Amino acid sequence: MKLALYGSLTRNTRLDCVRSLLEFLYSHRIPYTLYAPYARELGEQLHGLEDELSPRFDTVQGLQDCNYLYSLGGDGPLLAAATL
């Protein structure tokens, strides 16, 4: 099983929750990939998580081996993720 995480930071983003999720996935060796622009945004905010932010995708081809796509954020990221 591999997860894909799609998202966008907003003023309401709970960075502590995102950090906990990424640390959980990483520590339990659950394979995942992050939407590349989201990973860049997170990298600017979540210092010390470089290893957790490394797997990335930016096109639908990057989702070929993923079983689930999770959208983090509001309505905008959810609608954008639906197109993938």
Side-chain angles (χ1 to χ4, degrees), residues 40-74:
R40 282 190 294 275
E41 290 178 334
L42 289 173
E44 295 170 4
Q45 299 293 320
L46 299 176
H47 306 290
L49 289 181
E50 288 77 17
D51 289 340
E52 289 88 339
L53 300 174
S54 60
R56 300 177 182 191
F57 73 94
D58 58 2
T59 65
V60 70
Q61 287 78 20
L63 299 173
Q64 296 293 328
D65 61 340
C66 294
N67 302 91
Y68 300 98
L69 172 61
Y70 288 92
S71 175
L72 305 174

Side-chain angles (χ1 to χ4, degrees), residues 22-38:
L22 294 173
E23 288 174 345
F24 177 86
L25 294 173
Y26 187 77
S27 67
H28 287 83
R29 294 185 174 92
I30 297 171
Y32 68 93
T33 183
L34 284 167
Y35 182 56
Y38 187 50

